[in-house]
Amino acid sequence: MTQIRRADKLIKTDQLIKQDFAMRPLRLDSLELFEDVVRCGGFRAAALARGVSSSAISQSISVLEEALGIRLLNRTTRSVAPTEAGEQLLEQLRPALHHIRTAIDDLNQLRERPSGTVRVNAPGPAADHVLCPLAFEFMKVYPDVNIEIVSDAAIIDIVEQGFDAGVRFGNQLAQDMIALPLGPALRYAIVASPDYLRRRGRPDAPRDLLQHDCIRRRFPGGTMVTWKFEKAGEQVEITPHGRLTLSSAHQELQAALAGSGVAHLFEDYVRDHVEQGRVVELLSEWKQRLPSWYLYYPSRRHTSAAMRAFLEYIRNQRWCPTNT
């Protein structure tokens, strides 16, 4: 009888806890977490974006589902996707959360200094040589603003992925985007180590590179990078051959320094190494002048006080031209 009473007591306690969940007012941060999980495609990605543990996010969503009395997410070992109820809630939730964030951010206009977070998605070279140095100085001027830079060469939907802005090479942008030049015009440099050149000789023209071991680069989408050259109005484009294929400029530079082949890199990556004699620049008279990086952001989205300060800081920059 004692065991039966204890079991009855546990059942009643569990029912009271569930009742308490149902009666609690829903927390705004739980609803934001739910939106993050769907946007990021899983608990782990949402946790990384939030800087918390996956288990904490999972527990918060479970409490939210318990309070609502309905499942919002279908969970498998490989993916997380909203249920029909989750989709319906999300459809109505997004505009409401947007209005709440806008209202809160509008209060920042009354502050003496902007605050908040600016999230930017940028290819590695742009982040390394333009965006990061710019952000470091900006944060000294605006100590209440947080900056998050995610290096990613893939073309993404910055709005869907929760970024305030993105960086793209050149000014080819999606519809409804506003763009600002970010840094000076760019040029590629062809380099190889002295050791490689002793073994394989030095190319005299771009097409000579077809007989060399070039360090190739593959974009995230699978496309192989071609090398373009220009001299006195003549343009040459080659598809390099080589045994080594990599996915980042840092890897290419390391390979060139190790004597693994000829590399095709932005000048910013190799300038110091050329000056110190670690690599030798080739075909310098064939350099093609390229557009700058562009920072772009959606024209129809509310711009936060922090983002407005960041955009104004970029507009006030005076980019020094590249060396000729």
Side-chain angles (χ1 to χ4, degrees):
M1 289 292 290
T2 304
Q3 290 181 347
I4 293 173
R5 285 188 188 133
R6 285 178 180 169
D8 287 341
K9 188 177 179 180
L10 286 171
I11 290 170
K12 287 178 181 177
T13 302
D14 188 52
Q15 288 173 341
L16 287 172
I17 291 172
K18 289 181 178 179
Q19 237 177 5
D20 182 47
F21 274 139
M23 293 172 66
R24 286 181 194 173
L26 293 177
R27 292 170 56 94
L28 176 61
D29 57 354
S30 295
L31 297 173
E32 287 182 315
L33 284 175
F34 168 61
E35 182 193 34
D36 283 349
V37 170
V38 175
R39 174 173 54 81
C40 296
F43 294 115
R44 185 173 180 276
L48 287 172
R50 284 266 179 168
V52 298
S53 67
S54 299
S55 60
I57 296 242
S58 178
Q59 186 176 358
S60 295
I61 298 300
S62 295
V63 170
L64 176 63
E65 290 176 326
E66 191 76 36
L68 293 173
I70 193 167
R71 181 175 289 277
L72 300 174
L73 295 171
N74 288 320
R75 304 161 173 83
T76 69
T77 55
R78 293 187 177 182
S79 64
V80 173
T83 62
E84 183 179 352
E87 288 279 12
Q88 182 178 322
L89 175 62
L90 199 60
E91 185 177 348
Q92 299 179 58
L93 196 61
R94 279 175 173 149
L97 288 174
H98 172 73
H99 290 313
I100 291 169
R101 292 180 186 122
T102 300
I104 292 173
D105 186 69
D106 284 344
L107 295 178
N108 278 330
Q109 307 310 309
L110 303 178
R111 294 168 52 96
E112 292 183 4
R113 298 184 302 191
S115 66
T117 299
V118 175
R119 299 186 72 234
V120 186
N121 182 284
D128 291 341
H129 300 291
V130 183
L131 196 56
C132 280
L134 190 75
F136 302 156
E137 294 304 314
F138 171 82
M139 292 173 71
K140 294 176 185 176
V141 180
Y142 295 95
D144 295 334
V145 176
N146 303 318
I147 301 288
E148 180 180 351
I149 298 172
V150 176
S151 294
D152 186 358
I155 301 298
I156 66 163
D157 184 328
I158 58 170
V159 175
E160 183 181 328
Q161 296 298 319
F163 289 97
D164 296 290
V167 176
R168 192 172 294 180
F169 178 57
N171 58 359
Q172 298 301 312
L173 303 166
Q175 193 174 7
D176 296 332
M177 291 290 170
I178 299 173
L180 294 175
L182 189 67
L186 302 165
R187 292 192 304 187
Y188 278 103
I190 303 297
V191 297
S193 71
D195 176 63
Y196 174 87
L197 295 175
R198 279 192 293 270
R199 289 184 284 112
R200 298 292 302 271
R202 188 177 182 129
D204 295 318
R207 290 189 176 85
D208 293 344
L209 291 169
L210 296 173
Q211 308 304 317
H212 279 262
D213 207 355
C214 296
I215 301 164
R216 305 189 301 169
R217 168 98 68 90
R218 191 184 297 277
F219 286 128
T223 306
M224 199 71 72
V225 176
T226 58
W227 296 5
K228 298 178 182 179
F229 303 88
E230 185 175 351
K231 177 183 175 183
E234 181 185 358
Q235 296 183 342
V236 177
E237 180 174 349
I238 68 168
T239 299
H241 304 297
R243 294 180 298 152
L244 183 61
T245 302
L246 302 170
S247 62
S248 79
H250 283 296
Q251 295 167 353
E252 285 186 67
L253 177 58
Q254 293 305 309
L257 291 169
S260 298
V262 180
H264 172 260
L265 293 159
F266 282 123
E267 284 182 321
D268 287 331
Y269 275 103
V270 301
R271 186 173 291 112
D272 290 345
H273 297 286
V274 170
E275 291 175 358
Q276 294 167 18
R278 295 172 183 165
V279 291
V280 177
E281 184 173 359
L282 309 169
L283 306 175
S284 58
E285 70 277 13
W286 281 93
K287 282 183 181 177
Q288 182 187 37
R289 193 176 180 84
L290 303 166
S292 68
W293 297 107
Y294 279 78
L295 182 115
Y296 66 98
Y297 60 99
S299 59
R300 296 184 181 182
R301 185 179 180 181
H302 175 78
T303 306
S304 69
M307 182 62 178
R308 284 195 292 274
F310 190 57
L311 293 174
E312 188 62 24
Y313 190 81
I314 292 173
R315 290 190 186 99
N316 289 333
Q317 298 299 309
R318 297 292 179 265
W319 307 113
C320 295
T322 55
N323 297 330
T324 54

mmCIF file with all atom_site columns, all heavy atoms in Angstrom, residues 77-90:
data_model
loop_
_atom_site.group_PDB
_atom_site.id
_atom_site.type_symbol
_atom_site.label_atom_id
_atom_site.label_alt_id
_atom_site.label_comp_id
_atom_site.label_asym_id
_atom_site.label_entity_id
_atom_site.label_seq_id
_atom_site.pdbx_PDB_ins_code
_atom_site.Cartn_x
_atom_site.Cartn_y
_atom_site.Cartn_z
_atom_site.occupancy
_atom_site.B_iso_or_equiv
_atom_site.pdbx_formal_charge
_atom_site.auth_seq_id
_atom_site.auth_comp_id
_atom_site.auth_asym_id
_atom_site.auth_atom_id
_atom_site.pdbx_PDB_model_num
ATOM 1   N N   . THR A 1 77 ? 18.237 12.006 -35.522 1.00 0.00 ? 77 THR A N   1
ATOM 2   C CA  . THR A 1 77 ? 19.670 12.058 -35.205 1.00 0.00 ? 77 THR A CA  1
ATOM 3   C C   . THR A 1 77 ? 20.426 12.967 -36.162 1.00 0.00 ? 77 THR A C   1
ATOM 4   O O   . THR A 1 77 ? 21.522 13.433 -35.847 1.00 0.00 ? 77 THR A O   1
ATOM 5   C CB  . THR A 1 77 ? 20.289 10.640 -35.270 1.00 0.00 ? 77 THR A CB  1
ATOM 6   O OG1 . THR A 1 77 ? 20.004 10.078 -36.555 1.00 0.00 ? 77 THR A OG1 1
ATOM 7   C CG2 . THR A 1 77 ? 19.711 9.760  -34.166 1.00 0.00 ? 77 THR A CG2 1
ATOM 8   N N   . ARG A 1 78 ? 19.838 13.248 -37.331 1.00 0.00 ? 78 ARG A N   1
ATOM 9   C CA  . ARG A 1 78 ? 20.545 14.034 -38.341 1.00 0.00 ? 78 ARG A CA  1
ATOM 10  C C   . ARG A 1 78 ? 19.988 15.435 -38.548 1.00 0.00 ? 78 ARG A C   1
ATOM 11  O O   . ARG A 1 78 ? 20.681 16.306 -39.070 1.00 0.00 ? 78 ARG A O   1
ATOM 12  C CB  . ARG A 1 78 ? 20.523 13.290 -39.685 1.00 0.00 ? 78 ARG A CB  1
ATOM 13  C CG  . ARG A 1 78 ? 21.326 11.997 -39.661 1.00 0.00 ? 78 ARG A CG  1
ATOM 14  C CD  . ARG A 1 78 ? 21.412 11.405 -41.046 1.00 0.00 ? 78 ARG A CD  1
ATOM 15  N NE  . ARG A 1 78 ? 22.237 10.213 -41.078 1.00 0.00 ? 78 ARG A NE  1
ATOM 16  C CZ  . ARG A 1 78 ? 22.502 9.522  -42.177 1.00 0.00 ? 78 ARG A CZ  1
ATOM 17  N NH1 . ARG A 1 78 ? 22.009 9.922  -43.343 1.00 0.00 ? 78 ARG A NH1 1
ATOM 18  N NH2 . ARG A 1 78 ? 23.270 8.436  -42.132 1.00 0.00 ? 78 ARG A NH2 1
ATOM 19  N N   . SER A 1 79 ? 18.723 15.651 -38.191 1.00 0.00 ? 79 SER A N   1
ATOM 20  C CA  . SER A 1 79 ? 18.140 16.952 -38.505 1.00 0.00 ? 79 SER A CA  1
ATOM 21  C C   . SER A 1 79 ? 17.036 17.325 -37.522 1.00 0.00 ? 79 SER A C   1
ATOM 22  O O   . SER A 1 79 ? 16.534 16.480 -36.780 1.00 0.00 ? 79 SER A O   1
ATOM 23  C CB  . SER A 1 79 ? 17.567 16.948 -39.933 1.00 0.00 ? 79 SER A CB  1
ATOM 24  O OG  . SER A 1 79 ? 16.492 16.027 -40.018 1.00 0.00 ? 79 SER A OG  1
ATOM 25  N N   . VAL A 1 80 ? 16.710 18.596 -37.558 1.00 0.00 ? 80 VAL A N   1
ATOM 26  C CA  . VAL A 1 80 ? 15.610 19.138 -36.774 1.00 0.00 ? 80 VAL A CA  1
ATOM 27  C C   . VAL A 1 80 ? 14.772 19.989 -37.720 1.00 0.00 ? 80 VAL A C   1
ATOM 28  O O   . VAL A 1 80 ? 15.312 20.830 -38.439 1.00 0.00 ? 80 VAL A O   1
ATOM 29  C CB  . VAL A 1 80 ? 16.121 20.011 -35.608 1.00 0.00 ? 80 VAL A CB  1
ATOM 30  C CG1 . VAL A 1 80 ? 14.963 20.694 -34.905 1.00 0.00 ? 80 VAL A CG1 1
ATOM 31  C CG2 . VAL A 1 80 ? 16.912 19.177 -34.612 1.00 0.00 ? 80 VAL A CG2 1
ATOM 32  N N   . ALA A 1 81 ? 13.460 19.754 -37.737 1.00 0.00 ? 81 ALA A N   1
ATOM 33  C CA  . ALA A 1 81 ? 12.576 20.495 -38.630 1.00 0.00 ? 81 ALA A CA  1
ATOM 34  C C   . ALA A 1 81 ? 11.272 20.820 -37.910 1.00 0.00 ? 81 ALA A C   1
ATOM 35  O O   . ALA A 1 81 ? 10.824 20.043 -37.058 1.00 0.00 ? 81 ALA A O   1
ATOM 36  C CB  . ALA A 1 81 ? 12.275 19.679 -39.890 1.00 0.00 ? 81 ALA A CB  1
ATOM 37  N N   . PRO A 1 82 ? 10.671 21.965 -38.206 1.00 0.00 ? 82 PRO A N   1
ATOM 38  C CA  . PRO A 1 82 ? 9.429  22.325 -37.526 1.00 0.00 ? 82 PRO A CA  1
ATOM 39  C C   . PRO A 1 82 ? 8.266  21.421 -37.950 1.00 0.00 ? 82 PRO A C   1
ATOM 40  O O   . PRO A 1 82 ? 8.171  21.014 -39.110 1.00 0.00 ? 82 PRO A O   1
ATOM 41  C CB  . PRO A 1 82 ? 9.194  23.773 -37.961 1.00 0.00 ? 82 PRO A CB  1
ATOM 42  C CG  . PRO A 1 82 ? 9.951  23.927 -39.232 1.00 0.00 ? 82 PRO A CG  1
ATOM 43  C CD  . PRO A 1 82 ? 11.129 23.013 -39.135 1.00 0.00 ? 82 PRO A CD  1
ATOM 44  N N   . THR A 1 83 ? 7.391  21.122 -37.012 1.00 0.00 ? 83 THR A N   1
ATOM 45  C CA  . THR A 1 83 ? 6.154  20.411 -37.312 1.00 0.00 ? 83 THR A CA  1
ATOM 46  C C   . THR A 1 83 ? 5.194  21.396 -37.972 1.00 0.00 ? 83 THR A C   1
ATOM 47  O O   . THR A 1 83 ? 5.497  22.591 -38.123 1.00 0.00 ? 83 THR A O   1
ATOM 48  C CB  . THR A 1 83 ? 5.521  19.874 -36.028 1.00 0.00 ? 83 THR A CB  1
ATOM 49  O OG1 . THR A 1 83 ? 5.195  20.993 -35.170 1.00 0.00 ? 83 THR A OG1 1
ATOM 50  C CG2 . THR A 1 83 ? 6.463  18.929 -35.287 1.00 0.00 ? 83 THR A CG2 1
ATOM 51  N N   . GLU A 1 84 ? 4.019  20.925 -38.336 1.00 0.00 ? 84 GLU A N   1
ATOM 52  C CA  . GLU A 1 84 ? 3.013  21.818 -38.922 1.00 0.00 ? 84 GLU A CA  1
ATOM 53  C C   . GLU A 1 84 ? 2.667  22.929 -37.927 1.00 0.00 ? 84 GLU A C   1
ATOM 54  O O   . GLU A 1 84 ? 2.533  24.100 -38.304 1.00 0.00 ? 84 GLU A O   1
ATOM 55  C CB  . GLU A 1 84 ? 1.767  21.028 -39.294 1.00 0.00 ? 84 GLU A CB  1
ATOM 56  C CG  . GLU A 1 84 ? 0.706  21.871 -39.984 1.00 0.00 ? 84 GLU A CG  1
ATOM 57  C CD  . GLU A 1 84 ? -0.524 21.062 -40.365 1.00 0.00 ? 84 GLU A CD  1
ATOM 58  O OE1 . GLU A 1 84 ? -0.499 19.823 -40.234 1.00 0.00 ? 84 GLU A OE1 1
ATOM 59  O OE2 . GLU A 1 84 ? -1.520 21.680 -40.797 1.00 0.00 ? 84 GLU A OE2 1
ATOM 60  N N   . ALA A 1 85 ? 2.542  22.542 -36.641 1.00 0.00 ? 85 ALA A N   1
ATOM 61  C CA  . ALA A 1 85 ? 2.248  23.542 -35.609 1.00 0.00 ? 85 ALA A CA  1
ATOM 62  C C   . ALA A 1 85 ? 3.413  24.510 -35.463 1.00 0.00 ? 85 ALA A C   1
ATOM 63  O O   . ALA A 1 85 ? 3.222  25.724 -35.278 1.00 0.00 ? 85 ALA A O   1
ATOM 64  C CB  . ALA A 1 85 ? 1.967  22.842 -34.279 1.00 0.00 ? 85 ALA A CB  1
ATOM 65  N N   . GLY A 1 86 ? 4.641  23.982 -35.550 1.00 0.00 ? 86 GLY A N   1
ATOM 66  C CA  . GLY A 1 86 ? 5.821  24.835 -35.456 1.00 0.00 ? 86 GLY A CA  1
ATOM 67  C C   . GLY A 1 86 ? 5.903  25.832 -36.590 1.00 0.00 ? 86 GLY A C   1
ATOM 68  O O   . GLY A 1 86 ? 6.238  27.006 -36.387 1.00 0.00 ? 86 GLY A O   1
ATOM 69  N N   . GLU A 1 87 ? 5.591  25.372 -37.810 1.00 0.00 ? 87 GLU A N   1
ATOM 70  C CA  . GLU A 1 87 ? 5.579  26.258 -38.981 1.00 0.00 ? 87 GLU A CA  1
ATOM 71  C C   . GLU A 1 87 ? 4.552  27.368 -38.798 1.00 0.00 ? 87 GLU A C   1
ATOM 72  O O   . GLU A 1 87 ? 4.814  28.534 -39.102 1.00 0.00 ? 87 GLU A O   1
ATOM 73  C CB  . GLU A 1 87 ? 5.266  25.450 -40.245 1.00 0.00 ? 87 GLU A CB  1
ATOM 74  C CG  . GLU A 1 87 ? 6.392  24.542 -40.712 1.00 0.00 ? 87 GLU A CG  1
ATOM 75  C CD  . GLU A 1 87 ? 7.439  25.283 -41.509 1.00 0.00 ? 87 GLU A CD  1
ATOM 76  O OE1 . GLU A 1 87 ? 7.427  26.535 -41.515 1.00 0.00 ? 87 GLU A OE1 1
ATOM 77  O OE2 . GLU A 1 87 ? 8.289  24.616 -42.121 1.00 0.00 ? 87 GLU A OE2 1
ATOM 78  N N   . GLN A 1 88 ? 3.369  26.991 -38.300 1.00 0.00 ? 88 GLN A N   1
ATOM 79  C CA  . GLN A 1 88 ? 2.307  27.969 -38.114 1.00 0.00 ? 88 GLN A CA  1
ATOM 80  C C   . GLN A 1 88 ? 2.704  29.017 -37.071 1.00 0.00 ? 88 GLN A C   1
ATOM 81  O O   . GLN A 1 88 ? 2.503  30.214 -37.269 1.00 0.00 ? 88 GLN A O   1
ATOM 82  C CB  . GLN A 1 88 ? 1.014  27.263 -37.679 1.00 0.00 ? 88 GLN A CB  1
ATOM 83  C CG  . GLN A 1 88 ? -0.172 28.206 -37.505 1.00 0.00 ? 88 GLN A CG  1
ATOM 84  C CD  . GLN A 1 88 ? -1.433 27.447 -37.132 1.00 0.00 ? 88 GLN A CD  1
ATOM 85  O OE1 . GLN A 1 88 ? -1.671 26.348 -37.623 1.00 0.00 ? 88 GLN A OE1 1
ATOM 86  N NE2 . GLN A 1 88 ? -2.237 28.035 -36.256 1.00 0.00 ? 88 GLN A NE2 1
ATOM 87  N N   . LEU A 1 89 ? 3.291  28.536 -35.970 1.00 0.00 ? 89 LEU A N   1
ATOM 88  C CA  . LEU A 1 89 ? 3.732  29.460 -34.928 1.00 0.00 ? 89 LEU A CA  1
ATOM 89  C C   . LEU A 1 89 ? 4.827  30.386 -35.454 1.00 0.00 ? 89 LEU A C   1
ATOM 90  O O   . LEU A 1 89 ? 4.799  31.595 -35.215 1.00 0.00 ? 89 LEU A O   1
ATOM 91  C CB  . LEU A 1 89 ? 4.247  28.673 -33.715 1.00 0.00 ? 89 LEU A CB  1
ATOM 92  C CG  . LEU A 1 89 ? 4.848  29.505 -32.575 1.00 0.00 ? 89 LEU A CG  1
ATOM 93  C CD1 . LEU A 1 89 ? 3.793  30.438 -31.984 1.00 0.00 ? 89 LEU A CD1 1
ATOM 94  C CD2 . LEU A 1 89 ? 5.437  28.602 -31.501 1.00 0.00 ? 89 LEU A CD2 1
ATOM 95  N N   . LEU A 1 90 ? 5.763  29.817 -36.189 1.00 0.00 ? 90 LEU A N   1
ATOM 96  C CA  . LEU A 1 90 ? 6.890  30.594 -36.700 1.00 0.00 ? 90 LEU A CA  1
ATOM 97  C C   . LEU A 1 90 ? 6.436  31.673 -37.679 1.00 0.00 ? 90 LEU A C   1
ATOM 98  O O   . LEU A 1 90 ? 6.965  32.793 -37.682 1.00 0.00 ? 90 LEU A O   1
ATOM 99  C CB  . LEU A 1 90 ? 7.890  29.653 -37.378 1.00 0.00 ? 90 LEU A CB  1
ATOM 100 C CG  . LEU A 1 90 ? 9.309  30.168 -37.579 1.00 0.00 ? 90 LEU A CG  1
ATOM 101 C CD1 . LEU A 1 90 ? 9.947  30.506 -36.238 1.00 0.00 ? 90 LEU A CD1 1
ATOM 102 C CD2 . LEU A 1 90 ? 10.144 29.145 -38.316 1.00 0.00 ? 90 LEU A CD2 1
#
